[in-house]
Amino acid sequence: MDTTTDPRPLLTRASGQLARLIAAVPAERLNGPTPCEEFDVRALLGHLVGGADAASAIGETGTRGVLTPASDIPDNGWTAAYDAARARLTAAWADDTKLDMPLTMPWGAMPGRAYLFSGCVLEMAAHAWDLSQALGSPFPLDQELAECALEWAHRALPAERRGEGVPFAPVRPAPEGADAYVRLAAWLGRAV
């Protein structure tokens, strides 16, 4: 993975994996906890739908908006809401020229492709682990996807870049032999 890699195939895999996890959420788990302490399952789903919509808006307009978590989704509507947001995201970034579109994000200036890696694929992989853990790991996660996200996290979120203004806790140790998702979660400051 380098600065010329097209992130959209990974984005498709990451959003597809999340869609499968979201479809596996039973209504009785919506108020349950996740490893991401700021979200219960319902709030995490709202964050995921809102995040896909915000990333779509960036692809559509070239400017950063505000991530507004979806909050008015009925308990049985999360799969449809995420599928719609995912379709919009795919369409918003379909034009190859958008991969090199200059963007100014809170964490720095970057081309569209770097945003898709750091703002989307990395985020989706991290939250896939959160949701999978909250659901009792209903199916194996895509380890290759997590390895790519972890590689990007090491570059974009070095251990010394934590603290005020950075929404990640200090790096935590991962257990010996941990899979890529556990290592990613630990790198992002989750207790694993």
Side-chain angles (χ1 to χ4, degrees):
M1 186 169 53
D2 61 34
T3 58
T4 63
T5 301
D6 184 345
R8 293 173 298 186
L10 289 173
L11 181 65
T12 297
R13 285 168 58 183
S15 66
Q17 178 171 256
L18 276 174
R20 188 172 170 210
L21 281 164
I22 291 168
V25 176
E28 63 270 12
R29 296 298 290 266
L30 287 169
N31 295 320
T34 72
C36 188
E37 294 177 3
E38 67 185 280
F39 298 126
D40 66 8
V41 171
R42 184 188 315 276
L44 178 57
L45 297 180
H47 177 73
L48 293 169
V49 172
D53 282 337
S56 299
I58 291 169
E60 293 161 354
T61 67
T63 58
R64 181 179 166 270
V66 176
L67 189 157
T68 304
S71 59
D72 58 350
I73 309 297
D75 288 356
N76 65 352
W78 288 106
T79 298
Y82 188 73
D83 286 347
R86 181 178 173 221
R88 179 181 173 205
L89 178 61
T90 300
W93 288 93
D95 181 348
D96 290 347
T97 62
K98 293 183 179 183
L99 296 178
D100 296 313
M101 170 176 61
L103 298 173
T104 302
M105 304 308 288
W107 55 90
M110 64 186 60
R113 76 181 68 243
Y115 167 73
L116 288 179
F117 277 126
S118 63
C120 294
V121 174
L122 173 58
E123 174 91 354
M124 289 176 181
H127 287 314
W129 183 79
D130 293 330
L131 188 53
S132 179
Q133 293 297 297
L135 299 177
S137 302
F139 57 82
L141 298 178
D142 181 339
Q143 292 295 312
E144 184 181 43
L145 180 62
E147 290 288 357
C148 292
L150 182 58
E151 179 185 332
W152 192 261
H154 284 167
R155 280 198 242 169
L157 299 165
E160 58 277 357
R161 190 174 168 220
R162 307 299 165 102
E164 192 168 328
V166 178
F168 300 98
V171 172
R172 295 189 182 201
E176 183 83 23
D179 75 10
Y181 281 93
V182 171
R183 289 182 283 127
L184 176 61
W187 187 262
L188 297 178
R190 307 271 202 287
V192 296

